[in-house]
């Protein structure tokens, strides 16, 4: 397939922008913040409003941007935003509201080191915020974690498909390394934006003008004064999340068939872990890597499948230990699970991951 | 073949664009590439660095422990990245930016006086192309013709009239680079 597609050299952030236009996105609303500003910058250069008709708007704040997604998504449009950690923190209220009334949208978080304004260097410390629902109430969002510029290009369309399949906000949880790095990338083919008729047929729930069809108005409100009715709504949402959890686990494995020692890492850290696996295999150690692609739902089926040969697990993250909880829960703590993390914008090198694993093996 | 390159110098010297040209040339040669910039609050006068990997195999980590080649253009960069160079690796430096010469006898060291040569050419902006010429002479892992093609791709059309002087600088850099014997 890649033979007849042109190869580009671009940053992960630029790939996100190109992919958005190509997969028929209707609107992007965002506010600049390092290290993801190239998304809005690239979209402004591409001027998709002149070609596909896609709207690109620099909102006055992240709070405004997420509420523009609420409106756009409610009308059945494919809408997205992107930001980095402190900006995504500002969006949490809107994301909770969208989850409550089942509005599909794609939110890209190119993470930096926190907490607070933190640094502008790469981080992965928004794992828990993204996977357990950063806003109020019981809700979940599917979270996809790209590990290359190609993933950045490919996951936009997947995220939109999942968002509409489940009528739910969907995250692409990237980091400063993947956003800022340039690699060769094959961009997805152009797909037209959906017409009003198509939206009408595919999204009967959308608030897109009931006078056209004489149907009852579609109303989106997360406020419900009767607790029993609200509980019914919650029960239905939980049933949907259970279905998502069962069907949408995604992961890749690297040399796991006979692995006795297992790295679990996502995003840019999984790239360092791959290198570490190659080096340690050359030294005769049976080491493998599980790279979760979906952080929620966590790929527990995949982890349990490779578990029989595994003696010990090392979770590597650019945070103080967040995914490690999902790893332990997924296997019911049947194996010792250790953590190696760097925080605040420090990116671990492959050597650090190798040393941490060697220390484990020697124990 | 796997070349791991660190380029570091002052912001505004063309460190990132030099890395970009190498990456483009690598792709033109059907190689895999990664280009990872330090994206802090870099600006003219501050420090800037970029990590470029060119390989005919799949590139796992874009983050390096060590490098095979370093291009270091000022004293702080030299102090920081000199230990990163693998034994047997290559260091290229500019004699204007680095006045205390590096001391390592297990690597190949090359110098060129790119700043003064650029001044002689009456275009200080070709500084990075002189350095790149030096690199192509001592480590020809990407082809000159692919760098030329990369110039057409990376420079906006309105600057294409500058391509001849850039090519001249590449050639000149190849001439003035010289090996330093420790």
């Amino acid at each position: 397939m890649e033979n007849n597609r042109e190869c580009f050299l671009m940053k992960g952030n630029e790939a996100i922008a190109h992919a958005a236009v190509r997969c028929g996105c209707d609107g992007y609303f965002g506010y600049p913040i390092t290290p993801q500003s190239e998304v809005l910058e690239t979209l402004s250069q591409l001027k998709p409003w002149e070609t596909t008709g896609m709207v690109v708007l620099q909102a006055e704040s992240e709070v405004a941007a997420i509420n523009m997604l609420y409106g756009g998504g409610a009308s059945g449009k494919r809408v997205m935003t992107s930001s980095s950690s402190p900006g995504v923190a500002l969006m949490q209220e809107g994301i909770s509201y969208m989850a409550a009334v089942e509005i599909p949208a794609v939110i890209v978080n190119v993470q930096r080191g926190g907490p607070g304004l933190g640094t502008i260097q790469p981080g992965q410390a928004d794992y828990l915020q993204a996977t357990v629902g950063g806003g109020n109430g019981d809700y979940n969002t599917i979270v996809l974690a790209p590990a290359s510029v190609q993933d950045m290009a490919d996951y936009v369309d997947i995220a939109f498909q999942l968002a509409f399949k489940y009528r739910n906000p969907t995250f692409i949880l990237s980091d400063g390394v993947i956003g800022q790095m340039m690699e060769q990338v094959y961009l997805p083919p152009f797909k037209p934006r959906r017409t009003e008729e198509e939206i009408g047929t595919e999204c009967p729930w959308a608030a897109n003008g009931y006078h056209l069809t004489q149907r009852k108005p579609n109303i989106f409100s997360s406020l419900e004064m009767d607790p029993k009715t609200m509980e019914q709504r919650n029960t239905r949402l939980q049933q949907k999340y259970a279905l998502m959890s069962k069907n949408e686990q995604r992961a890749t494995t690297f040399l796991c068939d006979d692995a006795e020692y297992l790295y679990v890492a996502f995003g840019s850290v999984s790239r360092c872990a791959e290198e570490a696996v190659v080096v340690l295999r050359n030294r005769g150690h049976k080491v493998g890597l599980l790279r979760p692609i979906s952080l929620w739902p966590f790929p527990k089926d995949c982890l349990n499948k490779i578990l029989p040969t595994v003696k010990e697990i090392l979770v590597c993250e650019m945070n103080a230990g967040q995914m490690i909880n999902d790893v332990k829960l997924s296997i019911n703590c049947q194996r010792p699970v250790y953590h190696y993390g760097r925080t605040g914008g420090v990116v671990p090198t492959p050597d650090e991951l190798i040393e941490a694993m060697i220390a484990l093996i020697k124990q | 073949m796997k070349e791991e390159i660190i380029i570091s110098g002052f912001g505004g010297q063309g460190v990132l664009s030099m890395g970009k040209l190498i990456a483009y040339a690598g792709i033109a040669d059907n190689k895999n590439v990664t280009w990872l910039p330090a994206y802090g609050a870099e600006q003219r006068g501050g420090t800037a660095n970029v990590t470029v990997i060119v390989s005919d195999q799949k590139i796992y980590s874009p983050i390096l422990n060590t490098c095979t080649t370093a291009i270091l253009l000022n004293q702080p960069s030299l102090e920081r990245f000199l230990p990163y160079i693998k034994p047997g690796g290559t260091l290229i430096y500019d004699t204007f930016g680095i006045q205390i010469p590096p001391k390592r006898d297990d690597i190949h060291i090359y110098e060129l006086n790119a700043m003064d040569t650029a001044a002689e050419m009456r275009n200080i902006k070709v500084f990075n192309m002189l350095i790149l010429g030096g690199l192509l002479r001592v480590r020809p892992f990407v082809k000159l013709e692919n760098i030329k093609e990369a110039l057409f791709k990376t420079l906006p059309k309105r600057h294409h009239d500058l391509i001849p002087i850039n090519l001249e600088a590449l050639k000149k850099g190849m001439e003035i680079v010289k090996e330093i014997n420790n």
Side-chain angles (χ1 to χ4, degrees):
Chain A
M1 181 174 73
E2 287 175 358
N3 289 337
N4 49 26
R5 281 158 67 184
E6 197 187 343
C7 177
F8 294 92
L9 178 70
M10 62 172 71
K11 289 186 174 194
N13 290 337
E14 293 166 342
I16 288 267
H18 281 271
V21 179
R22 284 168 177 253
C23 74
C25 178
D26 295 302
Y28 170 94
F29 309 90
Y31 187 80
I33 179 171
T34 307
Q36 67 76 53
S37 296
E38 290 86 358
V39 180
L40 178 55
E41 187 185 338
T42 307
L43 282 169
S44 306
Q45 284 163 355
L46 289 173
K47 297 184 184 161
W49 53 90
E50 290 178 359
T51 51
T52 71
M54 173 185 171
V55 173
V56 178
L57 193 126
Q58 179 174 333
E60 65 268 38
S61 73
E62 289 86 348
V63 178
I66 198 69
N67 285 296
M68 289 170 183
L69 256 65
Y70 188 108
S75 65
K77 301 283 187 187
R78 294 173 144 226
V79 287
M80 69 182 285
T81 186
S82 64
S83 188
S84 181
S85 307
V88 177
L90 285 170
M91 295 181 180
Q92 292 304 323
E93 180 195 57
I95 297 166
S96 167
Y97 279 42
M98 288 161 82
V101 293
E102 299 180 85
I103 292 177
V106 173
I107 301 134
V108 182
N109 182 356
V110 184
Q111 298 168 91
R112 57 194 241 181
L117 278 179
T119 70
I120 56 174
Q121 299 303 320
Q124 294 182 322
D126 304 346
Y127 178 95
L128 285 174
Q129 184 200 58
T131 55
V132 294
N136 62 301
D138 283 319
Y139 75 94
N140 284 105
T141 55
I142 292 178
V143 183
L144 303 173
S148 65
V149 175
Q150 186 64 55
D151 288 348
M152 291 285 254
D154 293 343
Y155 289 4
V156 177
D157 192 40
I158 298 173
F160 270 121
Q161 285 178 31
L162 291 170
F164 276 85
K165 182 175 175 187
Y166 295 103
R167 277 186 63 187
N168 209 62
T170 301
F171 263 95
I172 296 177
L173 192 70
S174 185
D175 61 64
V177 173
I178 307 296
Q180 288 297 322
M181 175 171 65
M182 288 206 295
E183 284 184 302
Q184 62 262 63
V185 55
Y186 299 91
L187 294 174
F190 277 99
K191 213 158 71 171
R193 289 171 53 231
R194 287 181 307 181
T195 61
E196 290 298 332
E197 289 72 29
E198 283 165 341
I199 291 174
T201 323
E202 289 166 32
C203 311
W205 46 265
N208 57 343
Y210 77 99
H211 58 282
L212 299 173
T213 52
Q214 303 302 311
R215 61 164 164 72
K216 278 203 316 191
N218 287 327
I219 294 166
F220 295 85
S221 170
S222 64
L223 180 67
E224 178 55 65
M225 295 306 284
D226 174 29
K228 277 188 181 155
T229 316
M230 192 63 206
E231 188 178 46
Q232 281 167 8
R233 189 191 278 194
N234 266 292
T235 306
R236 201 170 48 75
L237 285 177
Q238 289 303 321
Q239 284 164 352
K240 180 175 84 171
Y241 300 146
L243 194 67
M244 287 152 78
S245 183
K246 184 168 153 274
N247 293 341
E248 304 303 340
Q249 295 178 29
R250 287 169 163 81
T252 59
T253 57
F254 183 56
L255 304 180
C256 281
D257 286 349
D258 60 345
E260 294 176 354
Y261 295 90
L262 184 70
Y263 284 107
V264 183
F266 69 98
S268 58
V269 181
S270 73
R271 298 281 294 266
C272 295
E274 268 186 322
E275 180 104 26
V277 168
V278 173
V279 172
L280 288 169
R281 283 268 170 185
N282 286 337
R283 292 189 199 166
H285 300 293
K286 288 185 175 172
V287 178
L289 163 71
L290 170 75
R291 178 201 147 208
I293 293 172
S294 61
L295 303 180
W296 194 94
F298 191 80
K300 58 182 176 196
D301 296 349
C302 182
L303 176 56
N304 280 295
K305 212 170 124 194
I306 58 179
L307 197 63
T309 61
V310 174
K311 290 178 184 164
E312 292 185 329
I313 298 174
L314 181 62
V315 181
C316 300
E317 307 172 73
M318 286 192 282
N319 60 46
Q322 300 194 9
M323 182 171 65
I324 185 171
N325 302 330
D326 279 333
V327 174
K328 284 180 177 175
L329 283 172
S330 296
I331 59 168
N332 272 327
C333 295
Q334 290 176 73
R335 299 285 188 281
V337 183
Y338 302 90
H339 187 260
Y340 182 81
R342 298 301 300 262
T343 62
V346 179
V347 181
T349 63
D351 272 0
E352 288 177 45
L353 304 193
I354 292 166
E355 272 171 39
M357 187 58 100
I358 290 284
L360 243 181
I361 294 171
K362 278 187 180 162
Q363 256 179 22
Chain B
M1 166 271 166
K2 187 183 184 189
E3 194 77 28
E4 302 154 331
I5 309 138
I6 291 174
I7 311 174
S8 183
F10 287 118
Q13 277 185 315
V15 164
L16 299 187
S17 20
M18 212 190 311
K20 212 189 248 187
L21 289 172
I22 295 169
Y24 265 107
I27 285 188
D29 217 10
N30 283 323
K31 300 223 165 49
N32 293 307
V33 302
T34 61
W35 175 96
L36 179 65
Y39 63 87
E42 268 79 7
Q43 54 186 334
R44 188 180 292 265
T47 60
N49 71 71
V50 65
T51 302
V52 182
I53 305 175
V54 180
S55 174
D56 44 23
Q57 307 286 316
K58 184 185 170 186
I59 300 170
Y60 296 113
S61 172
I63 295 137
L64 295 176
N65 305 306
T66 54
C67 66
T68 53
T69 299
I71 299 174
L72 306 177
L73 303 173
N74 60 20
Q75 209 69 43
S77 299
L78 182 77
E79 272 150 36
R80 182 168 167 202
F81 291 113
L82 184 63
Y84 277 66
I85 307 168
K86 283 180 182 157
T90 303
L91 164 65
I92 298 172
Y93 72 93
D94 166 55
T95 51
F96 182 86
I98 287 173
Q99 277 144 7
I100 309 163
K103 285 193 176 64
R104 260 186 78 173
D105 51 15
D106 59 342
I107 56 171
H108 303 283
I109 302 179
Y110 300 86
E111 65 164 41
L112 65 171
N113 187 349
M115 195 62 91
D116 287 342
T117 311
E120 280 164 27
M121 291 175 75
R122 293 179 181 280
N123 191 332
I124 202 72
K125 285 186 199 159
V126 299
F127 170 81
N128 63 341
M129 300 305 287
L130 288 156
I131 301 282
L132 188 55
L135 172 74
L136 290 180
R137 174 66 183 273
V138 302
R139 297 289 304 161
F141 57 89
V142 289
K143 297 190 186 98
L144 178 62
E145 71 223 47
N146 288 337
I147 293 280
K148 284 182 195 169
E149 199 190 304
L151 272 172
F152 279 95
K153 274 194 175 170
T154 53
L155 277 177
K157 276 218 170 68
R158 64 180 191 277
H159 292 319
H160 277 193
D161 57 321
L162 296 173
I163 287 174
I165 191 165
N166 277 288
L167 295 177
E168 196 191 318
L170 276 172
K171 214 174 124 221
K172 191 86 186 162
M174 289 178 161
E175 288 165 13
I176 61 171
V177 67
K178 56 181 184 208
E179 182 154 17
I180 301 300
N181 296 318
N182 280 300

